[in-house]
Amino acid sequence: MSLHEPVSAAEGVPFWTPKQILRAGTAVVPQPDGKAIPKIFQPLKIRGLTIQNRIGLSPMCQYSANPKFEATPWHVVHYGEIIKRGPGLSFIEATSVSPEGGLSPQDLAIFNDEQAKKLKDIVDFAHSQNQHIGIQIAHGGRKASGSPMYEHLERIADASVGGWPDKVVAPSPIPYRPGGSLATPKELTIPDIKRIIKEFGAAAKRAVEISGFDIIQIHAAHGYLINEFYSKVSNKRTDEYGGSFENRVRFLLEIIDEVRANIPEDFPLSLRISAIDNSPDNPESWKIEDSVKLAPLVIARGVDIIDTSSGGNDSSANARGPRDGVHVELARAVKKAIGDSGLVSCVGSLRTATYANKFLEEGVFDIAEFGRPFLQNPALVNQFADELGVRIENARQLEWSLHTDRNQMIEAIAEAKRKVEALKL
């Protein structure tokens, strides 16, 4: 970024901030040393959206909403600290589409217009920095009305703390952990299934038209409602939404159809799935073969990115373990199933830029997502650039300090003085 570009205001946001000429996180072209730009810092087109690098901020619940399930200054500051430093694709946390769908009384929601307006504060900040931002829309199913993770408890949030345990729903009336401390759900009726499908579409419409998000992700992983439908572990229905593979994935496919019907044609859509239940000894568990079968179906319905994760639906499942790249092989299988017809993102212990870039270069997946590393370091994109020796653009407020030496500053000040003197003549 040139030191001599004039300062002008960012457009389309309700406050003053300098216009970001070049998006933070963009690799400088050509690189000062002439080296090739690694894949992780190469741009990527997703339908009508082009992201400046392949680094994604994974959705992570903050459990910081107000009693109306609305965003607060915490969310603006939390996401702003990360987004202004330039991940190519950023998603805010799971946001409930239904009054009964929140994971806790402190979760965000978008089942009414006022909630969508509060989310616009986050979007406005991201757009003021010329950055893209997405929302993950969700329904907690049988895991709803629980306690915030920072309490280090698994308990029912009852009415005394704003919960709704008597309204928790699922495909079948099976609690997540028998004898545990989450509510036993009520089995959804067909009319309520249809209602929730419509609520996903309405939430998507609000996310676009009121909040102004750039991409939507449907949360169909981690044991939440959609995942509960497609896995036999939690779906014992005998109607058109249970039994066969085709019936169990029907709920998801109808949600995709409803969401796509409520967003523009060129608007990108992501889908997070649990590619396996992590229960290899359970014959009813969802397996990678099922995800491979599902993947082309969702791409054909208009999904642009399949985000591969795992687990969360079977309380007796194996732990994922601490190993690096825990979901890499799952992403590889999904990518093989869809080829170039869609994109695959991978999340889970990718840890370093060098490690993640290796798989991007090999075409194992297309986007690398990071969760905890961003919590530990909001400037993770800069850390990755330093690790790989890549020069990237930064926000104007940061660039002068990060990549301007003293001699450049002296020359810039001298040039400004010369211009002022010339105007006096």
Side-chain angles (χ1 to χ4, degrees):
M1 185 181 295
S2 170
L3 290 170
H4 312 309
E5 290 169 344
V7 175
S8 59
E11 299 172 356
V13 291
F15 52 86
W16 190 93
T17 188
K19 181 179 181 179
Q20 304 297 342
I21 307 297
L22 295 171
R23 187 174 293 128
T26 302
V28 171
V29 180
Q31 288 286 292
D33 57 8
K35 289 197 303 188
I37 297 171
K39 195 71 168 283
I40 199 169
F41 279 104
Q42 292 178 14
L44 178 67
K45 185 174 175 58
I46 312 168
R47 207 171 279 246
L49 187 73
T50 299
I51 59 176
Q52 73 271 29
N53 59 53
R54 314 293 182 96
I55 302 167
L57 168 62
S58 182
M60 291 174 288
C61 287
Q62 295 299 296
Y63 304 101
S64 296
N66 69 20
K68 296 180 180 179
F69 311 107
E70 296 170 341
T72 69
W74 171 271
H75 298 94
V76 178
V77 173
H78 166 66
Y79 291 112
E81 278 295 297
I82 297 170
I83 290 168
K84 74 183 184 185
R85 291 175 166 88
L89 197 57
S90 301
F91 286 103
I92 72 163
E93 62 211 74
T95 305
S96 179
V97 303
S98 306
E100 78 283 353
L103 302 180
S104 80
Q106 290 76 31
D107 274 59
L108 292 176
I110 190 170
F111 56 76
N112 65 43
D113 290 357
E114 289 305 310
Q115 294 161 347
K117 290 174 185 176
K118 289 291 186 180
L119 291 167
K120 189 175 186 298
D121 291 342
I122 306 170
V123 176
D124 282 344
F125 181 82
H127 289 173
S128 79
Q129 303 307 301
N130 195 20
Q131 297 291 347
H132 303 304
I133 184 168
I135 181 173
Q136 185 187 66
I137 55 175
H139 190 297
R142 64 180 180 168
K143 284 187 164 182
S145 197
S147 59
M149 293 290 284
Y150 51 67
E151 289 186 356
H152 302 291
L153 300 171
E154 186 185 275
R155 65 164 172 80
I156 296 173
D158 60 23
S160 69
V161 291
W164 54 96
D166 59 330
K167 297 179 181 178
V168 172
V169 295
S172 302
I174 305 169
Y176 170 65
R177 181 176 287 112
S181 52
L182 286 172
T184 297
K186 296 178 180 177
E187 181 170 304
L188 281 164
T189 64
I190 295 294
D192 275 332
I193 289 173
K194 301 298 186 183
R195 168 184 62 83
I196 292 171
I197 291 169
K198 289 292 184 184
E199 286 170 338
F200 269 94
K205 188 177 181 69
R206 290 188 192 98
V208 175
E209 296 182 358
I210 299 176
S211 306
F213 285 99
D214 304 298
I215 182 171
I216 287 171
Q217 181 175 94
I218 298 170
H219 197 350
H222 302 163
Y224 304 137
L225 187 61
I226 299 174
N227 188 184
E228 292 164 17
F229 266 92
Y230 64 71
S231 173
K232 285 184 179 180
V233 168
S234 44
N235 185 346
K236 308 299 181 183
R237 302 177 73 95
T238 57
D239 58 15
E240 64 265 40
Y241 289 96
S244 68
F245 173 89
E246 290 73 19
N247 283 355
R248 287 180 285 110
V249 302
R250 188 186 307 278
F251 183 59
L252 168 58
L253 297 182
E254 290 183 353
I255 286 172
I256 294 169
D257 288 346
E258 186 68 22
V259 168
R260 278 252 67 107
N262 280 279
I263 59 178
E265 176 63 29
D266 66 347
F267 197 90
L269 179 61
S270 173
L271 174 70
R272 171 165 280 189
I273 63 169
S274 279
I276 58 173
D277 272 336
N278 284 326
S279 307
D281 297 328
N282 185 343
E284 295 192 319
S285 70
W286 182 266
K287 297 177 173 58
I288 188 59
E289 293 80 9
D290 298 307
S291 290
V292 164
K293 186 177 178 180
L294 176 66
L297 301 180
V298 300
I299 294 296
R301 300 301 263 260
V303 167
D304 301 294
I305 307 169
I306 300 176
D307 183 18
T308 49
S309 187
S310 74
N313 193 47
D314 185 349
S315 62
S316 62
N318 297 337
R320 291 175 182 165
R323 68 185 186 279
D324 289 350
V326 65
H327 298 135
V328 167
E329 293 310 311
L330 303 179
R332 188 193 302 273
V334 172
K335 183 62 179 175
K336 184 177 179 181
I338 63 172
D340 294 333
S341 65
L343 303 172
V344 172
S345 58
C346 184
V347 66
S349 301
L350 296 175
R351 303 191 189 280
T352 69
T354 302
Y355 185 75
N357 186 66
K358 171 181 180 292
F359 298 109
L360 288 166
E361 297 280 3
E362 294 173 358
V364 175
F365 48 81
D366 306 286
I367 301 166
E369 287 194 21
F370 301 86
R372 291 177 185 174
F374 270 116
L375 295 182
Q376 295 165 341
N377 180 13
L380 187 69
V381 176
N382 297 84
Q383 176 184 313
F384 283 177
D386 290 343
E387 179 186 335
L388 295 175
V390 177
R391 173 71 185 272
I392 62 171
E393 302 289 349
N394 289 279
R396 296 186 78 159
Q397 299 96 315
L398 304 178
E399 179 72 16
W400 71 272
S401 177
L402 293 173
H403 289 300
T404 304
D405 63 27
R406 185 171 181 273
N407 291 333
Q408 284 179 300
M409 288 298 296
I410 292 171
E411 174 55 30
I413 293 169
E415 181 176 337
K417 287 181 177 179
R418 288 193 293 271
K419 288 181 178 179
V420 170
E421 292 300 322
L423 290 174
K424 292 179 180 178
L425 297 177

